[in-house]
Amino acid sequence: MELRDKNILILGLAISGVSTAKALSKLGSKITVTDMKSENELAEQLLELKEINIDYVLGSNDVDLDKIDLIVKSPGIPLDVPIIKKAQERGIEVVTDIELAYRITKNKFIAITGTNGKTTTTALTGELIKKAGFNCQITGNIGVGILWKSVNAENDDIFVIEASSFQLESTRYFKPYISVITNITPDHLNWHKTFDNYVNSKKKVFINQKDSDYTILNYDDLLLREMGKEVKSNLIYFSANNELEKGVYVDDYQIVINDGTNIINVMDYRELKIPGRHNLENALAVVSIGWAMGIDVQIIANALKEFEGVEHRIEFVDSIGGVSFYNDSKGTNPDASIKAIEAIKEPIILIAGGMDKGADFEEFIDSFNNKVKALVLLGETKEKIKDTAISKGFNNIYIVNSIEEAVVKSFQLADPNDNVLLSPACASWDMFKSYEERGRIFKEAVKKLRED
């Protein structure tokens, strides 16, 4: 795709926007950037781009589209905002960064999506690819803009991409060599409007694949099992609960690969350092990727045994007075937080709440199952979660106004051998720039608690 001298509008100056601007500058495009935030709010991003010739429209999206050839939007911007509707009426294509990266590079892509588990699966896949001797770029929704990496990559670099539903929604030709869907449960319904729309955005990760590609799906997710009928590439199922005629599954604690003829032992899953049933599923997905790529089983096993997890996902922070603190700020929806509750030993003091994405919290409260002894709530959803909990008979609830206050209150409520778990079951954007910022503030609050 030729981008030199093309007039390209970047919509939104977050991580992907900065990466896109730098990449397009190197490719010789004429760049306009618009963002609803002010110059002061974007000071950090503008400083990073100060050497690049860019026309800025800040504080509004009132951009003249007459000369715009292409719009690259920040993934989180909905498709129904006026500027995008206006562009579509004029026949101007609107894409996200992963679509554009696919068009301008010949590299192999491994794209990992799903409601939960994609960050851990992406990070672990990156470690496996490196151990197998490949050059690897870990990028996408994991917090590193893909376009800047793509214009600087070597031709043999393999891109391991965490692909969000927001990114996939605006793809058209995107076709990874290997696609993975870890699971699908309702999420981001405030953005996608319906669950069907959300599911269809996830399907885009494999929809363009052919018989030379691979699609990896979670057999234990009934929606994905059924979705397998739509796959046109080589389909690999993985399962933590079922023996498969062909695929990757668990047999008496052993992770095994059944190639349809032979059963190949990979490792005892009890050797994994990442806790919880959901992380076993993530590991099975990575074994499936390794199998598809022809990586030696011992290399796969070593990568899994050595992986210690990712920041903000059931991350042990500290133990103070016998009370352990865990940072699961990446738990941005009820299903993710349910998995964290299942993974942590009782008794649990749970810190939850955040931006309302339209989720229902009944199953979240049901998952407490006498493991959660107190619930500390903050953010936009605090009253919604509180009302659901009370309706379910759970009444030991405390409302706070900050993460710092939540940490102090949780410590006051805890006894030795209790676990304080930050797993919000909600997005962070009502109070924080990102779940990463929320997690860092939590860890800083725990550190201050120790100092005090």
Side-chain angles (χ1 to χ4, degrees):
M1 183 178 186
E2 180 55 55
L3 296 174
R4 181 167 296 280
D5 295 326
K6 295 292 185 181
N7 292 295
I8 300 180
L9 174 63
I10 298 172
L11 191 57
L13 200 55
I15 291 171
S16 67
V18 171
S19 167
T20 300
K22 291 162 67 176
L24 292 175
S25 174
K26 186 171 182 177
L27 293 171
S29 303
K30 297 174 183 177
I31 307 165
T32 302
V33 168
T34 183
D35 196 297
M36 294 300 294
K37 292 181 180 177
S38 67
E39 187 173 340
N40 287 337
E41 292 175 298
L42 295 167
E44 185 178 334
Q45 291 92 328
L46 295 174
L47 182 63
E48 190 171 350
L49 298 175
K50 67 177 183 178
E51 303 298 329
I52 299 175
N53 183 23
I54 297 174
D55 291 329
Y56 289 102
V57 180
L58 303 179
S60 84
N61 288 151
D62 188 16
V63 180
D64 182 1
L65 299 180
D66 285 346
K67 295 182 179 179
I68 298 299
D69 298 306
L70 177 71
I71 294 178
V72 185
K73 79 174 190 72
S74 175
I77 296 175
L79 292 171
D80 58 0
V81 298
I83 189 171
I84 293 180
K85 285 186 174 180
K86 186 178 175 183
Q88 290 170 336
E89 288 168 1
R90 296 183 176 210
I92 301 171
E93 189 175 19
V94 180
V95 300
T96 49
D97 55 348
I98 64 170
E99 172 72 14
L100 193 54
Y102 174 76
R103 296 189 193 184
I104 66 173
T105 181
K106 300 297 184 184
N107 296 80
K108 276 188 176 179
F109 286 2
I110 299 172
I112 297 161
T113 194
T115 305
N116 299 304
K118 54 185 178 292
T119 300
T120 298
T121 304
T122 300
L124 179 48
T125 300
E127 293 303 307
L128 170 61
I129 299 300
K130 291 173 186 175
K131 283 188 178 297
F134 298 100
N135 295 321
C136 178
Q137 303 285 346
I138 303 171
T139 183
N141 195 52
I142 202 165
V144 180
I146 187 173
L147 271 171
W148 182 237
K149 281 186 170 288
S150 67
V151 299
N152 292 290
E154 300 295 331
N155 289 334
D156 61 351
D157 286 4
I158 294 174
F159 277 71
V160 182
I161 306 166
E162 179 185 328
S164 71
S165 60
F166 301 156
Q167 290 170 312
L168 291 168
E169 177 69 28
S170 294
T171 57
R172 184 177 177 186
Y173 301 113
F174 178 70
K175 185 182 79 66
Y177 170 57
I178 298 175
S179 68
V180 181
I181 307 181
T182 56
N183 49 65
I184 297 183
T185 56
D187 197 16
H188 300 300
L189 300 187
N190 60 329
W191 198 96
H192 289 283
K193 310 304 181 189
T194 70
F195 183 52
D196 283 344
N197 289 343
Y198 176 62
V199 171
N200 287 333
S201 72
K202 294 294 189 185
K203 285 182 184 179
K204 285 194 168 188
V205 77
F206 68 73
I207 210 74
N208 293 324
Q209 287 185 295
K210 299 178 180 177
D211 57 10
S212 56
D213 304 314
Y214 291 85
T215 301
I216 296 168
L217 301 177
N218 185 346
Y219 186 83
D220 299 334
D221 185 311
L222 296 181
L223 181 61
L224 294 181
R225 191 187 303 182
E226 186 68 20
M227 197 181 291
K229 296 175 183 177
E230 302 177 47
V231 170
K232 301 183 185 74
S233 63
N234 297 288
L235 175 61
I236 298 175
Y237 281 119
F238 65 88
S239 173
N241 301 323
N242 297 276
E243 182 177 323
L244 304 175
E245 293 181 5
K246 187 175 182 180
V248 177
Y249 59 93
V250 176
D251 182 14
D252 192 24
Y253 300 115
Q254 284 289 322
I255 296 175
V256 301
I257 299 169
N258 183 346
D259 65 8
T261 304
N262 302 302
I263 305 267
I264 305 157
N265 285 337
V266 180
M267 61 174 286
D268 188 319
Y269 78 77
R270 292 173 293 184
E271 295 182 78
L272 293 170
K273 293 180 180 178
I274 46 178
R277 191 75 174 175
H278 64 292
N279 276 323
L280 171 58
E281 292 181 353
N282 297 336
L284 294 173
V286 175
V287 173
S288 303
I289 293 169
W291 178 30
M293 293 191 67
I295 296 173
D296 182 83
V297 170
Q298 193 57 54
I299 294 174
I300 297 173
N302 290 341
L304 266 60
K305 289 175 185 178
E306 294 173 15
F307 185 70
E308 296 184 347
V310 296
E311 188 179 17
H312 310 300
R313 194 68 182 107
I314 319 183
E315 174 193 10
F316 175 72
V317 178
D318 199 356
S319 181
I320 304 172
V323 179
S324 295
F325 290 82
Y326 290 88
N327 166 29
D328 191 53
S329 184
K330 188 67 172 68
T332 58
N333 58 66
D335 191 60
S337 292
I338 288 169
K339 288 176 168 61
I341 292 166
E342 291 171 348
I344 297 294
K345 292 180 181 178
E346 58 188 272
I348 296 170
I349 292 92
L350 178 64
I351 302 171
M355 194 191 88
D356 192 347
K357 296 193 287 183
D360 180 280
F361 294 101
E362 290 197 8
E363 289 186 19
F364 173 61
I365 302 299
D366 289 341
S367 75
F368 290 4
N369 198 26
N370 296 319
K371 291 185 72 175
V372 175
K373 78 176 206 179
L375 182 59
V376 180
L377 296 172
L378 73 164
E380 194 174 277
T381 57
K382 58 182 181 287
E383 295 297 336
K384 183 177 179 179
I385 298 174
K386 177 184 175 182
D387 291 345
T388 305
I390 291 172
S391 74
K392 293 280 186 177
F394 188 95
N395 298 291
N396 195 19
I397 302 166
Y398 302 84
I399 301 292
V400 297
N401 295 310
S402 68
I403 288 287
E404 293 86 350
E405 188 182 346
V407 167
V408 172
K409 172 56 70 175
S410 297
F411 188 64
Q412 291 170 349
L413 295 169
D415 297 311
N417 298 317
D418 284 0
N419 296 302
V420 174
L421 171 65
L422 169 70
S423 193
C426 301
S428 58
W429 303 312
D430 58 334
M431 297 174 67
F432 309 95
K433 293 178 182 177
S434 63
Y435 75 81
E436 293 98 335
E437 182 187 59
R438 179 171 61 188
R440 286 193 294 269
I441 290 172
F442 175 76
K443 293 196 287 186
E444 288 165 5
V446 174
K447 181 180 179 182
K448 185 176 186 302
L449 180 68
R450 170 171 284 285
E451 291 170 353
D452 291 346

